[in-house]
Amino acid sequence: MSDLEDISRHFHEKLWSLQQILDLSVVELPQNKMKRLGQELCGLEGLLEELERCVDEQKQQLKNLKEVRDVYQQALQDVQHMKNNMPPHIPRKKTVVNGNEAGKDSVDSQPAPVENLKKSSRNVIKEMGFITTPEFEGIPQYMKGRVSYEQLNAAVSSLNAAATAKYKIFHQSVKGLSNHARKLHQRFKDQETKETKGQFFVVEEDIREFTQMKVDKRFQGILNMLRHCQRLRELRGGGLTRYLFL
């Protein structure tokens, strides 16, 4: 900007000088004065070209700045959209409990006894993995129907909630359960078979018991998609359909 101002100032000085010479043109000028007038005009022409070049550079810089501004504003809108539409199934940062990250032992904690480790591993409840965008796009359209990506993963979340609630009761001692929970515990045991040993599964009764998800025709379509994505498989027997988590 200072270069453009310097050229403009110099340009105006030259114009003033030429104006002075032209004011004296009413009288006959000596040869050396006429020669100087020609030099001033040539210099002024050069200044005009330099001024035009600077103006063009400033216009290009302004255009570049506007493009950068547009890119920044678009990026800001995209980030805001991502923030406002964050899928609920994306893993969140672990909460901190008593200064330690949840799920991690404190520095001075003692190693857990082997018995406790075995018990903890037995009580770990397997959850179904959420569907990724490429997986969803790979599902045939006739199978997806009107189910959106978000709705499919919401169903995954509900199935995981049903499994968590079921096995939380299943892994507890019957003595500490309420009457209703004891009935559920017995039902869970009755539904176990040799094929389901060590597996995690839910049935339609579990979904009705522990979630708000409707078990209807649309639900059957969602199950087809989850089977297609290898998230579960069906095991039938005893008049019951078990949905095993893979």
Side-chain angles (χ1 to χ4, degrees), residues 29-93:
L29 296 175
Q31 188 65 29
N32 62 335
K33 295 293 185 180
M34 295 297 296
K35 183 177 180 180
R36 182 184 173 188
L37 179 61
Q39 292 174 345
E40 292 290 346
L41 289 172
C42 290
L44 186 60
E45 183 179 4
L47 285 173
L48 284 172
E49 293 177 354
E50 183 69 16
L51 184 61
E52 290 177 354
R53 185 185 64 80
C54 289
V55 170
D56 291 339
E57 289 179 355
Q58 294 293 324
K59 286 182 179 179
Q60 186 61 42
Q61 289 182 11
L62 182 61
K63 180 182 178 181
N64 294 339
L65 289 173
K66 288 181 178 179
E67 291 176 353
V68 171
R69 181 199 62 186
D70 294 340
V71 171
Y72 172 77
Q73 289 179 343
Q74 184 61 47
L76 186 62
Q77 291 177 3
D78 292 342
V79 171
Q80 188 63 42
H81 177 76
M82 292 171 63
K83 180 180 178 182
N84 296 337
N85 298 273
M86 188 72 68
H89 57 273
I90 289 182
R92 304 288 180 173
K93 184 178 179 181

Side-chain angles (χ1 to χ4, degrees), residues 117-229:
L117 289 176
K118 290 182 179 180
K119 184 178 180 180
S120 298
S121 62
R122 183 176 66 85
N123 292 341
V124 172
I125 301 172
K126 182 176 183 178
E127 290 190 345
M128 186 185 303
F130 289 102
I131 305 300
T132 64
T133 303
E135 285 178 316
F136 182 77
E137 293 175 350
I139 300 174
Q141 185 59 45
Y142 76 88
M143 190 178 295
K144 286 191 289 190
R146 296 184 178 181
V147 177
S148 67
Y149 173 75
E150 291 76 12
Q151 290 171 335
L152 181 58
N153 274 317
V156 172
S157 181
S158 294
L159 289 169
N160 285 335
T164 300
K166 170 186 175 178
Y167 285 98
K168 183 178 180 181
I169 295 174
F170 188 70
H171 289 156
Q172 289 186 42
S173 173
V174 180
K175 295 180 181 180
L177 298 176
S178 64
N179 290 335
H180 179 65
R182 286 184 182 182
K183 293 179 181 179
L184 292 175
H185 190 279
Q186 186 60 48
R187 190 187 82 193
F188 300 154
K189 287 186 64 177
D190 294 340
Q191 292 171 352
E192 292 285 333
T193 66
K194 292 181 179 180
E195 293 178 280
T196 62
K197 186 176 181 180
Q199 304 291 323
F200 291 85
F201 69 91
V202 294
V203 298
E204 292 184 2
E205 285 182 283
D206 301 329
I207 297 169
R208 294 190 183 96
E209 178 75 29
F210 300 115
T211 74
Q212 300 296 321
M213 187 165 55
K214 295 181 179 179
V215 181
D216 51 13
K217 185 177 180 180
R218 181 173 175 272
F219 172 71
Q220 296 301 324
I222 288 175
L223 293 179
N224 290 335
M225 287 188 279
L226 294 177
R227 282 196 298 271
H228 176 81
C229 295

